[in-house]
Amino acid sequence: MFVIDDAMIVQTIQLALTPVFVLVAIGNILNILSSRLGRVVDRARELQERHNKTHGAEHDMVVLEIRLVDKRINIITKAIRFMVLSALCIGTTVAVLFLQGLAGLDLHGVAAVIFLASIVLLLVALVLFLRETQVAKDALSIPRDYLELHRTI
């Protein structure tokens, strides 16, 4: 039978604190991604309503924007998926650290690998987030025709 002393519990909590801070950051980023997804879905619904009511060049512009919105939805969804997987790995890291501290097992290597996996997943999600912002910028670019660059004002 193993004995749990107060010093070991304090040390385990201190070890688990860093991954928990990363978990808080992931939660904040998930909140941002969810907000962006909500706005993009709202825009998609609006465009779908306009789809059957437009013709010619205006219809083509609606279809192009629908394609960009679809691309953004896919990218944001993937980013959210990677963020959630990262958060799950962080939670697993904390659980492994507590198991190590409470059961007296040597699981440093396991905790390190899981934590590294969570950071890699986080980085992938952030790259997807960066890509989504680029697609959003492309979607928001003002068509050259509207700028009337041939005129001096």
Side-chain angles (χ1 to χ4, degrees):
M1 186 168 156
F2 59 91
V3 178
I4 302 172
D5 65 353
D6 292 342
M8 184 173 48
I9 292 173
V10 169
Q11 182 182 12
T12 302
I13 291 171
Q14 288 172 340
L15 273 174
L17 204 53
T18 300
V20 170
F21 282 127
V22 176
L23 195 57
V24 170
I26 288 171
N28 288 333
I29 297 168
L30 277 171
N31 188 28
I32 292 167
L33 289 170
S34 296
S35 296
R36 291 181 74 89
L37 182 60
R39 286 196 305 263
V40 173
V41 167
D42 290 344
R43 182 67 180 155
R45 288 182 181 138
E46 179 185 322
L47 289 168
Q48 288 172 11
E49 287 178 18
R50 289 178 49 198
H51 183 267
N52 293 329
K53 299 175 185 174
T54 58
H55 304 285
E58 183 183 1
H59 182 76
D60 292 344
M61 289 178 66
V62 168
V63 170
L64 285 174
E65 191 174 348
I66 287 173
R67 290 176 185 174
L68 284 172
V69 164
D70 181 62
K71 189 174 187 178
R72 288 182 66 192
I73 289 170
N74 288 329
I75 294 171
I76 293 170
T77 302
K78 286 179 188 174
I80 289 172
R81 190 174 300 128
F82 279 102
M83 280 288 174
V84 170
L85 289 172
S86 178
L88 288 171
C89 284
I90 292 291
T92 304
T93 300
V94 171
V96 167
L97 289 172
F98 273 99
L99 183 63
Q100 171 181 294
L102 296 175
L105 302 172
D106 182 18
L107 300 173
H108 285 98
V110 173
V113 168
I114 296 170
F115 186 73
L116 181 61
S118 70
I119 296 302
V120 169
L121 291 166
L122 175 61
L123 291 174
V124 170
L126 290 172
V127 167
L128 286 167
F129 180 44
L130 181 64
R131 177 69 186 126
E132 190 275 330
T133 60
Q134 183 63 45
V135 172
K137 180 235 163 250
D138 292 344
L140 296 174
S141 293
I142 298 170
R144 292 305 214 192
D145 296 346
Y146 292 132
L147 297 177
E148 298 183 21
L149 295 174
H150 60 281
R151 293 181 45 207
T152 305
I153 301 176

